[in-house]
Amino acid sequence: MAAVAEPAPMPAPEPEVLAAFEDAKGFMPRGEGLALYAAATEAAALGLPLLEVGTYCGRSTILLAAAARRAGVSAITVDHHRGSEEQQPGWEYHDPETVDPEVGRMDTLPTFRRTLHKAGLEDHVIAVVGRSPQVARAWGGALGLVFIDGGHTDEHATADYEGWAPHVAEGGLLVIHDVFPDPVDIMTGQAPYRVYLRALESGAFEEIAVTDSLRVLRRTAAGI
């Protein structure tokens, strides 16, 4: 009886990259971060940029940037840096340290820049400061990976999907974070879950990996 080949080990970031990820402000758990890095490493082999919607303070950007650096491509991250709905004052995920005392609003851009500087990855990231739908309308190129991790309302999650999924190249990856099928998780996961279902039902994407709330889909046909 022929021996069954062991699956190839999942690519892992360098120890210093993983340490920077774990030290950065943000919400992504280690296991999902490692899955994101593996997806980014695979997608970067297409020779196209990797794009993230929803930067916050740069925790996941570190992993995309490390994968981009290894492949010689760029990581692009899009955010208005004023915080999503659940990060505003009075909500569970609000962090007072991210509020600009002069203007009285959240501004995660300075923290994000410090995060990249400490990780030594500034040269591999293009930070776009703006609202995702506006940036998507101005975007013209194909992408090897789109990571949707922005606002969690149906309005914002749907706009991110409709704006960026069309730019995923053939064979490229669409990664969606905070996918929670349980209806009790209305704020954090139901809108991303509905976007995930829409992507599968479109016939344009097939699921290739699941790690907790992270879903990785590959483009196999045109459309969204």
Side-chain angles (χ1 to χ4, degrees), residues 115-142:
T115 297
L116 283 189
H117 176 74
K118 288 172 62 177
L121 291 165
E122 285 183 290
D123 292 344
H124 305 281
V125 177
I126 300 170
V128 181
V129 181
R131 297 192 174 273
S132 169
Q134 293 174 300
V135 179
R137 285 194 294 271
W139 188 265

